[in-house]
């Protein structure tokens, strides 16, 4: 049962008195020692490709193959997509994250300034376009009321994989954004975020940036339990339940999620909880200033210990309020701040709970930073494509050298599963224009004996061992003048 207490009905006193709450709140509650999950750590190999395939296992690839071929049939086409082609398709998408071109078709161009031999030797351009237009995750005919039904299988598989990873002692709850600028009912706008437009995902992540649980925000179709404590507390408790977080784990959350009722409920469940609060959630809390604290222009602090919670209000660049159930006494540490007048770094006293919050809160933002470095650059008009391409970069949270890791994964996928075309494609119009511009410039065109086997003359089609030194095309000496003037 959830312990529901309205913030407006709370009575705060300056002395430490147990709040009127259930019997469990009357005795001193100690957060139990953290014990990791006894699960397979997930990464059973140090091979980057094996790590990538851990996030995209065979079960998910089989679903993608089946649904993509079915979607092509529904459109009256025959795709016959194989697993090797799908993995090659993934590799090309990963290459587009660090080797970007203005148009994706330039990857198959013969022009030396944009050519990519690894891509050309792995899959034909037209075949890539066919797969791109038909790749799917669900049966397109089974439409439901859930506006996110097309990517539900993707998030389900990712969450199942992430749940096999032991949960860290310190985790953060925050929102992350998947960039999207098209039209969709679930698109959100969040002011101040690095990605302001896109799909909002509620996330539970460790301090190192690994996301343990994700849930897309789709209004009433969001798959999180409704606790009756408000949206913010419901997100924190819902993610904890879905991820099966063991007691003793310490949660950090910002003022979008934090309420006094949430902290009480987290205490009853055996979780640590620390988060910033909005002034509207305090309801005239009577703070007490510590007598040992030296008053300074920056660093003034007030605190209150009430019902196994520590509430601290501290004056930094602006006033910040933090509530925590992991500390029973007000303690301070030192922090460095820039002094504009003296132009030096000053040491100021900082509450310890605020220092802990700053240390462990940035896990979700760190994950977003990893993914954004070499994000898939090939775009599509389909509304769910940003989620699909974003999920391919989930492996970016593993390893230190992200660029080398992604390059190794992409090139290995192309070499292992790609098929080299049997014949060369047509030259691009750009290459023909460049050749013609050089051909008729009347500068430094000299015949030379290549010394190699006979080739076909570019002008008459006969056999010759001579060529133009500048144009690098086979030509008879008799055809040399005619080729460069007509």
């Amino acid at each position: 049962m959830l312990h529901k207490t309205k913030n407006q009905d709370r009575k705060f006193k300056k002395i430490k008195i147990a709040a009127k709450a259930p019997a469990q709140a009357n005795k001193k509650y100690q957060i139990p020692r953290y014990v990791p999950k006894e699960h397979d750590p997930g990464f059973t190999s140090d091979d980057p490709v094996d790590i990538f395939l851990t996030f995209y296992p065979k079960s998910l690839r089989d679903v993608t193959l089946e649904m993509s071929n079915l979607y092509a049939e529904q459109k009256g086409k025959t795709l016959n997509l194989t697993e090797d082609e799908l993995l090659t398709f993934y590799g090309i998408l990963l290459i587009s994250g660090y080797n970007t071109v203005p148009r994706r078709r330039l990857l198959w161009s013969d022009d030396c300034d944009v050519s990519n031999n690894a891509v050309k030797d792995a899959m034909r351009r037209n075949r890539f376009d066919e797969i791109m237009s038909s790749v799917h995750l669900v049966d397109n005919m089974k439409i439901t009321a859930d506006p996110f039904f097309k990517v539900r299988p993707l998030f389900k598989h990712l969450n199942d994989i992430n749940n096999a990873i032991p949960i860290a002692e310190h985790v953060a709850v925050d929102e992350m954004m998947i960039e999207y600028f098209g039209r969709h009912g679930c698109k959100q706008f969040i002011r101040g975020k690095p990605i302001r437009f896109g799909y909002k995902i509620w996330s539970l992540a460790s301090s190192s940036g690994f996301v343990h649980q994700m849930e897309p925000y789709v209004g009433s179709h969001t798959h999180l339990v409704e606790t009756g404590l408000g949206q913010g507390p419901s997100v924190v408790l819902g993610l904890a339940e879905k991820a099966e977080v063991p007691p003793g784990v310490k949660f950090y959350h910002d003022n979008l999620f934090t309420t006094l009722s949430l902290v009480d409920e987290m205490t009853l469940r055996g979780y640590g909880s620390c988060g910033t609060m909005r002034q509207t959630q305090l309801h005239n809390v009577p703070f007490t200033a510590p007598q040992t604290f030296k008053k300074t222009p920056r660093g003034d602090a007030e605190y209150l210990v009430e019902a196994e919670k520590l509430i601290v209000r501290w004056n930094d660049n602006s006033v910040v309020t933090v509530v925590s159930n992991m500390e029973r006494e007000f303690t301070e540490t030192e922090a460095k701040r820039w002094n504009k007048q003296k132009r030096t770094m000053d040491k100021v006293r900082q509450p310890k709970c605020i220092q802990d919050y700053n240390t462990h809160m940035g896990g979700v933002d760190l994950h977003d930073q990893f993914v954004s470095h070499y994000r898939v650059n090939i775009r599509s008009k389909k509304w769910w494509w940003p989620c699909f391409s974003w999920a391919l970069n989930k492996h970016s949270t593993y390893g230190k050298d992200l660029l080398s890791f992604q390059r190794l994964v992409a090139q290995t996928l192309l070499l292992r599963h790609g098929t080299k075309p049997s014949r060369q494609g047509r030259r691009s119009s750009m290459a023909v224009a460049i050749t013609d511009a050089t051909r008729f410039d009347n500068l430094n065109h000299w015949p030379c004996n290549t010394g190699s086997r006979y080739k076909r003359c570019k002008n008459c089609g006969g056999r010759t061992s001579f060529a133009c030194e500048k144009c690098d095309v086979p030509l008879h000496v008799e055809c040399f003048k005619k080729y460069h003037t007509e």
Side-chain angles (χ1 to χ4, degrees):
M1 293 294 293
L2 293 173
H3 171 51
K4 299 180 181 179
T5 303
K6 293 184 178 180
N7 292 332
Q8 292 85 346
D9 298 333
R10 295 176 178 272
K11 295 182 179 180
F12 294 95
K13 297 184 178 181
K14 292 187 178 181
I15 59 176
K16 185 177 178 181
I17 299 178
K20 295 180 180 180
Q24 290 183 352
N26 290 330
K27 64 179 182 179
K28 194 169 184 66
Y29 189 91
Q30 295 292 336
I31 297 175
R33 184 176 62 86
Y34 168 74
V35 180
K37 283 184 177 180
E38 296 181 357
H39 284 174
D40 181 4
F43 301 129
T44 57
S45 172
D46 291 333
D47 183 7
V49 177
D50 291 340
I51 295 172
F52 172 80
L53 296 180
T54 300
F55 291 100
Y56 266 79
K58 184 171 178 55
S59 58
L60 180 57
R61 299 198 300 271
D62 290 342
V63 171
T64 306
L65 289 173
E66 180 183 359
M67 293 298 105
S68 299
N69 289 324
L70 178 60
Y71 180 68
E73 290 180 5
Q74 292 171 355
K75 296 194 302 181
K77 301 179 181 179
T78 302
L79 184 63
N80 293 329
L81 180 63
T82 64
E83 185 173 3
D84 285 336
E85 288 181 323
L86 182 62
L87 291 173
T88 305
F89 179 74
Y90 289 162
I92 295 175
L93 293 179
L94 293 177
I95 285 180
S96 71
Y98 60 85
N99 187 7
T100 59
V101 290
R103 302 169 187 166
R104 72 166 188 254
R105 288 196 163 197
L106 291 177
L107 291 172
W108 285 268
S109 173
D110 289 332
D111 301 335
C112 59
D113 57 338
V114 293
S115 177
N116 192 309
N117 293 328
V119 173
K120 290 192 296 183
D121 292 343
M123 179 179 287
R124 296 301 296 264
R125 184 193 68 189
N126 291 345
R127 182 58 176 170
F128 181 88
D129 291 341
E130 291 176 358
I131 299 174
M132 184 83 177
S133 64
S134 300
V135 66
H136 244 65
L137 298 174
V138 297
D139 187 352
N140 198 50
M141 302 302 292
K142 296 181 179 179
I143 301 177
T144 66
D146 185 357
F148 242 60
F149 78 100
K150 286 192 176 183
V151 290
R152 286 291 180 189
L154 178 62
F155 282 97
K156 182 181 182 301
H157 278 84
L158 291 176
N159 283 330
D160 290 343
I161 296 167
N162 295 339
N163 284 339
I165 310 298
I167 292 182
E169 181 179 2
H170 302 276
V171 294
V173 177
D174 204 351
E175 53 193 358
M176 59 184 177
M177 297 286 287
I178 299 178
E179 188 178 60
Y180 178 67
F181 295 101
R183 295 182 179 181
H184 194 271
C186 296
K187 188 177 76 170
Q188 300 285 313
F189 168 75
I190 301 181
R191 189 183 304 275
K193 283 282 188 178
I195 299 176
R196 297 184 299 163
F197 294 92
Y199 303 118
K200 182 164 68 174
I201 312 295
W202 301 123
S203 306
L204 175 70
S206 65
S207 301
S208 61
F210 184 85
V211 176
H212 293 283
Q213 191 69 31
M214 300 172 291
E215 181 59 37
Y217 173 69
V218 288
S220 60
H221 294 281
T222 304
H223 293 178
L224 290 176
V225 63
E226 180 59 45
T227 63
L229 300 177
Q231 184 189 61
S234 295
V235 170
V236 177
L237 297 172
L239 291 175
E241 288 183 5
K242 295 189 72 172
E244 300 179 359
V245 179
V249 174
K250 301 173 182 178
F251 285 74
Y252 297 86
H253 31 81
D254 60 22
N255 56 24
L256 178 63
F257 308 93
T258 309
T259 64
L260 298 176
S261 299
L262 170 65
V263 179
D264 286 341
E265 183 61 33
M266 297 287 279
T267 301
L268 294 176
R269 297 191 181 197
Y271 297 135
S273 180
C274 179
T276 56
M277 288 190 65
R278 296 175 179 175
Q279 189 66 29
T280 55
Q281 295 287 343
L282 293 175
H283 305 289
N284 300 321
V285 174
F287 290 101
T288 302
Q291 297 179 357
T292 59
F293 194 85
K294 182 179 179 181
K295 294 289 184 177
T296 59
R298 173 189 283 168
D300 295 346
E302 297 175 306
Y303 74 98
L304 174 72
V305 179
E306 187 268 341
E308 308 301 333
K309 298 187 297 297
L310 174 66
I311 308 175
V312 176
R313 185 166 62 191
W314 188 55
N315 182 24
D316 194 12
N317 292 326
S318 61
V319 177
V320 58
T321 304
V322 172
V323 57
S324 174
N325 67 353
M326 294 181 284
E327 296 185 27
R328 302 294 181 263
E329 296 180 355
F330 178 82
T331 56
E332 297 170 304
T333 59
E334 287 188 347
K336 293 182 179 180
R337 293 293 185 270
W338 177 254
N339 190 318
K340 292 183 179 180
Q341 288 75 23
K342 298 180 181 179
R343 302 186 65 80
T344 58
M345 297 295 292
D346 289 345
K347 292 183 178 180
V348 299
R349 306 299 296 273
Q350 182 184 52
K352 184 177 182 302
C353 59
I354 294 181
Q355 185 185 64
D356 293 341
Y357 174 86
N358 292 335
T359 301
H360 302 292
M361 181 55 202
V364 176
D365 293 335
L366 188 61
H367 173 273
D368 287 344
Q369 181 183 0
F370 289 154
V371 172
S372 65
H373 282 319
Y374 309 108
R375 186 169 48 201
V376 173
N377 193 49
I378 293 179
R379 297 184 179 183
S380 171
K381 293 183 179 180
K382 298 174 182 177
W383 68 265
W384 53 267
W385 179 260
C387 299
F388 179 82
S389 60
W390 168 85
L392 281 175
N393 290 110
K394 287 287 294 175
H395 67 276
S396 297
T397 58
Y398 180 83
K400 295 181 180 180
D401 189 350
L402 301 182
L403 178 58
S404 298
F405 184 88
Q406 185 157 328
R407 290 185 62 198
L408 184 58
V409 171
Q411 294 181 61
T412 305
L413 288 176
L414 297 188
L415 291 175
R416 287 183 183 177
H417 305 282
T419 302
K420 189 172 183 178
S422 57
R423 57 187 179 85
Q424 189 176 5
R426 294 179 300 174
R427 298 179 67 196
S428 66
S429 58
M430 179 67 69
V432 174
I434 294 174
T435 302
D436 289 344
T438 306
R439 172 182 170 184
F440 300 113
D441 62 2
N442 296 323
L443 294 174
N444 301 323
H445 292 277
W446 303 103
C448 64
N449 192 338
T450 60
S452 60
R453 58 181 300 180
Y454 290 108
K455 295 182 180 180
R456 294 292 178 182
C457 176
K458 196 70 174 178
N459 184 59
C460 67
R463 299 174 63 187
T464 180
S465 60
F466 285 84
C468 175
E469 187 177 45
K470 182 176 182 179
C471 299
D472 194 23
V473 294
L475 289 169
H476 287 110
V477 176
E478 297 81 4
C479 300
F480 196 86
K481 181 178 179 181
K482 188 175 182 181
Y483 175 80
H484 289 97
T485 55
E486 295 182 3

